[in-house]
Amino acid sequence: MKSQKSHGSRIYRLWTATASLAVIASAASALGFVAIPTVEAQTFDQAAGDSLISLCNAQNAISGSDLQSLCSRGAGSTTGTGATSVLPAAAFIEERRRSVGGSEDRTAKPGASSDTAGYDLGGGLSAFVSAGGDSLNHHNNKFEDGYSSAVPTIFVGADYRITDWMTAGLAVNYSYQDGSYDDGGSFDTHSYGPLLFASFTPLPGMFADVSLGYNRQNNSRTRVADASVPNGPALTTGHASGDYDTDQYSAGFLAGYDHPFQGFTIGPRAGLNFVYSDTENYNESSNTGLALRYSGLNQRSLQSTLGAVATMPISTSFGVVQPQIGVAWLHEFMGDSRNIQAEYREAFNPAATQFTFRREQPARDWAVIDVGVSAILPNQLQAFASFTTMQGNENYVSYGGLLGLRKAF
């Protein structure tokens, strides 16, 4: 076996980094979003409640609709003082993010390229398959509801060593995020698409990886939709649901250098990941009268990664085993808190019911830690496994792992 880098596993790392950014971004984009001028920072409950009061007072509900019935019940309700009112200002809709995820703050594994093998597998063509999953949890705050989710993922791909210094390939993936909100409601996202990638080794120990990807995402959301008045019974209790699609385009770049040192290989990693998401308008359906229509979103995220990876090849009777550990610091440049525009679907004049509410401020900095092992086996096989966690992110925490197998021909 030659002491030459096997870039297939590094390409795999680049793929998982880009894919996870796109997948989790979709889970975060639960409603249609639109960037509009900043207004007073209101939660969903505040903005939707105030709009509902104005709507009912103006008798702006479609005749015979669930919304008109809700307004009628609100008009006959009484406050704690016994005064009659039409959905008083203290009324609220208990939603707390049942349908809106936070902005994407979780991406690359450390350096996105920590090699799981430091030896040549031989051959120009290689194929690989990997399967794994993540547990992604979002912290609750006044602008976003907390949730827990599982994200199983599988992908397959192949690459070809064109020259001694260049490898290129194609991979496809499928992932499924299944989540539930802390206060009720659920969501799921099916994500799938291709990734083109290339790896360059201009000098010994030095590399640069690039990728271009696309993901199609099919999203489904169900939120709790309640309305009540102070010190009184609930006016309506139920759910609001809807489906929508998102197109995501991604680009990734990573560079690094591996330096042998007393039986170890230690090297810095630096890179950028960019994702552009285009989410269509989102319409809910509900028998509560509280179904909403949300405007579409064009969203951008640019994240840098700066870290280091250490590996230690160990020769055994069945092949070369290589443990590794990587740590990276990530920073978000483009993502920002969003003001989202929505309107009641059952209003006679929906435009008159439009309201704006604010989402949480994305985290700017956090750490990702990766521990893994790979093995170069007979018959030009390579097996690898890793465990990854995201820590220090004020909005999210995640734990995940994956297993993979690579075959050279």
Side-chain angles (χ1 to χ4, degrees):
M1 294 183 182
K2 294 184 264 184
S3 179
Q4 180 181 353
K5 286 293 177 186
S6 171
H7 301 294
S9 58
R10 186 173 65 241
I11 292 294
Y12 160 74
R13 288 292 180 195
L14 183 64
W15 160 248
T16 55
T18 307
S20 63
L21 175 61
V23 168
I24 307 303
S26 71
S29 304
L31 297 179
F33 303 131
V34 61
I36 61 177
T38 302
V39 296
E40 181 184 356
Q42 285 190 302
T43 66
F44 178 92
D45 291 347
Q46 293 169 333
D50 290 346
S51 179
L52 184 59
I53 295 167
S54 298
L55 182 157
C56 291
N57 284 334
Q59 299 182 358
N60 186 20
I62 296 175
S63 177
S65 66
D66 292 320
L67 181 57
Q68 184 188 52
S69 175
L70 173 61
C71 288
S72 298
R73 292 195 299 275
S77 65
T78 59
T79 65
T81 62
T84 301
S85 63
V86 178
L87 291 175
F92 66 93
I93 301 174
E94 179 56 35
E95 192 267 353
R96 293 188 190 224
R97 179 69 178 98
R98 306 287 194 320
S99 337
V100 182
S103 71
E104 153 51 10
D105 277 325
R106 187 265 175 142
T107 179
K109 312 302 195 247
S113 89
S114 46
D115 286 358
T116 53
Y119 295 87
D120 188 12
L121 289 175
L125 176 65
S126 294
F128 52 91
V129 59
S130 178
D134 289 280
S135 172
L136 178 69
N137 299 320
H138 178 267
H139 307 311
N140 188 53
N141 59 64
K142 71 175 183 178
F143 290 110
E144 307 273 356
D145 192 19
Y147 68 79
S148 58
S149 65
V151 193
T153 300
I154 184 170
F155 71 89
V156 296
D159 58 57
Y160 184 76
R161 181 177 298 167
I162 301 173
T163 69
D164 289 340
W165 53 270
M166 178 180 179
T167 299
L170 171 68
V172 294
N173 92 107
Y174 170 77
S175 68
Y176 172 70
Q177 182 170 19
D178 183 20
S180 59
Y181 295 107
D182 294 349
D183 296 330
S186 62
F187 67 91
D188 63 69
T189 298
H190 299 264
S191 180
Y192 48 91
L195 184 90
L196 293 170
F197 55 82
S199 181
F200 305 89
T201 53
L203 297 172
M206 183 179 296
F207 69 85
D209 298 335
V210 295
S211 68
L212 292 173
Y214 167 77
N215 268 322
R216 178 68 171 180
Q217 294 171 342
N218 309 129
N219 308 281
S220 178
R221 297 292 182 271
T222 297
R223 67 178 175 91
V224 174
D226 295 344
S228 65
V229 295
N231 303 317
L235 299 176
T236 186
T237 301
H239 293 83
S241 303
D243 301 324
Y244 64 95
D245 296 324
T246 299
D247 293 306
Q248 290 192 329
Y249 306 88
S250 62
F253 170 79
L254 185 87
Y257 177 77
D258 295 315
H259 177 68
F261 178 75
Q262 296 184 353
F264 292 86
T265 297
I266 303 175
R269 303 286 189 265
L272 289 172
N273 285 296
F274 174 78
V275 170
Y276 172 80
S277 300
D278 184 11
T279 301
E280 66 183 10
N281 294 344
Y282 175 33
N283 292 317
E284 291 180 326
S285 60
S286 177
N287 61 1
T288 63
L290 301 176
L292 299 174
R293 177 182 294 110
Y294 305 87
S295 298
L297 165 73
N298 293 322
Q299 193 174 14
R300 295 171 177 84
S301 174
L302 177 64
Q303 295 180 356
S304 65
T305 175
L306 180 64
V309 174
T311 60
M312 184 180 68
I314 303 171
S315 297
T316 70
S317 59
F318 58 85
V320 177
V321 176
Q322 183 167 273
Q324 69 175 37
I325 184 170
V327 179
W329 166 63
L330 281 77
H331 178 77
E332 171 65 54
F333 291 94
M334 287 187 173
D336 206 347
S337 61
R338 293 147 296 152
N339 293 309
I340 302 174
Q341 194 173 63
E343 60 189 35
Y344 285 94
R345 292 193 63 192
E346 294 183 6
F348 179 76
N349 179 12
T353 74
Q354 287 183 353
F355 61 92
T356 301
F357 60 100
R358 181 180 172 182
R359 299 290 82 186
E360 70 188 2
Q361 180 71 26
R364 289 301 177 193
D365 300 281
W366 62 96
V368 177
I369 303 169
D370 179 89
V371 178
V373 63
S374 69
I376 301 295
L377 305 173
N379 301 316
Q380 297 182 324
L381 286 174
Q382 175 191 5
F384 48 92
S386 70
F387 169 80
T388 305
T389 180
M390 176 181 63
Q391 298 293 328
N393 187 304
E394 61 191 71
N395 298 325
Y396 295 94
V397 63
S398 73
Y399 301 91
L402 47 89
L403 300 171
L405 186 66
R406 180 177 183 81
K407 169 68 175 176
F409 300 95

